[in-house]
Amino acid sequence: MDTTVETRDPITDDIDAVIIGAGFAGLYMNQRLRDQMGLRVQVFETGEGVGGTWYWNRYPGARCDSESYIYCYSFDKDLMQEWEWSGKYPEQPEILRYLNHVADRHDLRRNIAFQTRVTSAHWDEADHRWTVQTDRGDTVRCQFLITAIGCLSTGQVPKIPGLDSFQGDWYHTGAWPHEGVDFTGKRVGVIGTGSSGVQSIPRIAEQAGHLTVFQRTAQYTVPARHGTVDKAFLDDIKTRYEDVYEYCRRSAGGQPYTLSERSALTVSDEERAAVFEAAWQEGGFKFLTATFNDIALDRRANDTASEFIRAKIRETVKDPEVAEKLVPVDHPFTSKRPLIDTHYFETYNRDNVTLVDIRHAPIEEITPTGIRTTDGEYELDVIVFATGFDAMTGPFFRMDIQGKDGLKLKDKWEHGPLTYLGVSTVGFPNLFMITGPGSPSVLSNMPVSIEQHVEWIGDVVEHMRAEGVETMEADQQAETEWVAHVNEIAAATMFMLADSWYLGANIPGKPRVFMPYVGGVGAYRQKCDEVRDAGYEGFNLSPAATPVAGA
Ligand code: NA7
């Protein structure tokens, strides 16, 4: 990867808004504030280019699990008609191309400082401004601070003893070399079988001399049935694109699928099996939405889906011992992030693939020549960490964010994130978080949630300017009630029945708190709209201090 850092003078502006991040969220926020509203905006972005998640996650097989026609912006109607997706699901290079195109089309790069990481943001109560500092020596003061930092942008390489001694190469899926990695003939080890592992393992297996997969938790995954896009289908969508997108905006997960209205427990075994089979053949998240309405809510209904997938694994994987290792038994389907795959289980039928169960024989150390578990040693040339992210709060904690009276966000969120609507947190006026913890974010099709947040924040800024409001801060009671609501509705779901990154369980020492809002993007949007229409209920809005005469 070319890591040349271009020289430039430090930025020392006094402006309206700083946006941190230039992925899906930062790009649209920039367009909204700068072009639609005429604010003076500075964007800071760590990468050399735009794209966020899709700039960093370049591992083989990286792609989105939302279908391509709905994994896009809706604010640019012409672009919706013009852009031609090539696959059923958008692959990383194509999404990155799309985001670069959006940046070009709207001339969004000219106020983005690339290769620049925000290190701190401190609120000054005296003049109601944020002071934002970066690792490039920039010091920018602004009224509004908006985080567009992504939910899964802080990669997690587990602290396994001996990594420093490893003589081969190692990579994390979330910081993949731009030039790619050639696995030809190599002995490769992949640690992790979440989304990144499940996507990359089949692709790496095709190239590697030998692939060893180190699995801590077996996964439920449904075939994606990825392929080239059905042009006639997409052309038809384009005739009613706004309706399709509007449906997503009002839905549970920001997806275009019709939800089943039937319980899995009200049909015969034969009928249930037929419904699951049809969804399995069609592929993707429809297995969750179009089959039955209680899979994620009722344990007995869930058992039927979990058992269906377990049977599919046993049917697909030829070696019964390997199949049993791949069958998830310790958590129900949908309690961890649901996965969709392309030939994941089939990959274990290959002669050049070995599955190592590190739940029962954990990794002890990385040696100069490979990985040693309690059961044996595996010689490797390359290790791939598909070990995930310090999700949702991790990206915030990388920065020193201090609000009123020097309150550190890290301290305030020590026992878990506390927000009002996932967009604001008490003690941090004029700080707005796009898809922050406590909003649907990672439980939804991200562009739908991002657009809703960007537009809602845009409305806030417009309102403040129109009404002469200088600061807006969540009210303590509103925040407390929102946090209680987020926890209460999560408690009734399968999500509490597994160790997952939604709960922070993948990071040693992280508090076990369910972070996203599970109530659905439609219900959430309605709540945000009601708050806005009631004059920003639950927020304290303060006018600019009137200058004292003669002072
Ligand atoms: P995930 O979903 O967090 O998956 C990480 C995987 O790595 C998972 O199988 C973990 O096992 C495993 N893991 C994590 N830490 C370790 C250690 N210390 N030892 C062994 N195995 C470990 O990350 P992804 O990048 O796959 O996906 C993140 C999201 O990106 C995804 O959900 C989509 O939203 C897109 P575990 O299950 O914790 O036992």
Side-chain angles (χ1 to χ4, degrees), residues 53-54 57 59 63 65 152 156-160 172-174 191-199 214-219 330-331 336-339 358-359 363 385-389 442 499-502 505-508:
T53 289
W54 302 107
N57 284 266
Y59 59 85
R63 71 167 178 255
D65 291 343
L152 296 158
Q156 200 265 127
V157 176
K159 291 186 177 55
I160 301 172
H172 185 275
T173 48
I191 305 177
T193 53
S195 208
S196 307
V198 162
Q199 288 186 340
F214 297 86
Q215 171 193 274
R216 187 164 72 179
T217 307
Q219 292 276 14
D330 59 354
H331 65 284
K336 286 164 95 82
R337 180 3 177 115
L339 307 180
I358 54 169
R359 163 88 51 197
I363 294 176
F385 290 94
T387 43
F389 301 87
V442 291
D499 287 337
S500 70
W501 55 259
Y502 296 135
N506 63 327
I507 303 295

Side-chain angles (χ1 to χ4, degrees), residues 345-532:
F345 293 119
E346 291 86 337
T347 297
Y348 293 94
N349 293 331
R350 296 177 65 105
D351 291 337
N352 71 334
V353 176
T354 305
L355 177 67
V356 176
D357 174 0
I358 54 169
R359 163 88 51 197
H360 295 107
I363 294 176
E364 282 194 329
E365 65 168 338
I366 295 177
T367 67
T369 54
I371 291 179
R372 193 159 58 74
T373 71
T374 54
D375 244 8
E377 194 149 354
Y378 301 86
E379 303 258 304
L380 301 168
D381 303 309
V382 183
I383 299 174
V384 174
F385 290 94
T387 43
F389 301 87
D390 184 354
M392 309 205 72
T393 51
F396 286 95
F397 293 166
R398 269 204 208 174
M399 300 178 282
D400 169 26
I401 301 181
Q402 295 187 24
K404 281 163 134 177
D405 303 321
L407 175 64
K408 295 186 175 187
L409 188 66
K410 204 168 180 164
D411 291 341
K412 178 176 172 184
W413 287 4
E414 189 186 355
H415 302 295
L418 303 169
T419 71
Y420 180 39
L421 302 175
V423 76
S424 175
T425 182
V426 176
F428 297 80
N430 294 2
L431 165 65
F432 298 103
M433 301 173 277
I434 303 176
T435 66
S439 75
S441 60
V442 291
L443 298 180
S444 69
N445 178 26
M446 286 302 272
V448 173
S449 286
I450 284 168
E451 283 201 339
Q452 185 257 335
H453 260 183
V454 166
E455 286 160 15
W456 193 87
I457 293 165
D459 288 351
V460 165
V461 172
E462 209 158 62
H463 175 82
M464 289 174 70
R465 288 161 76 90
E467 300 297 320
V469 174
E470 189 163 73
T471 63
M472 174 157 154
E473 183 187 351
D475 171 72
Q476 186 58 61
Q477 192 185 338
E479 179 172 292
T480 304
E481 285 172 8
W482 183 254
V483 171
H485 175 59
V486 169
N487 288 325
E488 188 190 328
I489 55 174
T493 67
M494 294 296 134
F495 288 120
M496 307 314 278
L497 303 178
D499 287 337
S500 70
W501 55 259
Y502 296 135
L503 281 157
N506 63 327
I507 303 295
K510 193 166 173 173
R512 194 180 172 90
V513 174
F514 192 77
M515 294 181 283
Y517 176 67
V518 81
V521 299
Y524 175 79
R525 172 184 290 269
Q526 193 182 331
K527 168 74 180 169
C528 289
D529 289 351
E530 285 167 9
V531 165
R532 181 197 57 211

Side-chain angles (χ1 to χ4, degrees), residues 14-49:
D14 202 335
I15 54 166
D16 298 315
V18 163
I19 298 168
I20 311 174
F24 257 103
L27 288 176
Y28 183 31
M29 195 80 244
N30 189 22
Q31 198 271 351
R32 185 83 176 181
L33 294 184
R34 191 194 72 178
D35 297 349
Q36 293 186 36
M37 295 168 57
L39 267 68
R40 292 165 302 153
V41 177
Q42 176 65 53
V43 184
F44 291 114
E45 164 57 51
T46 309
E48 280 173 86

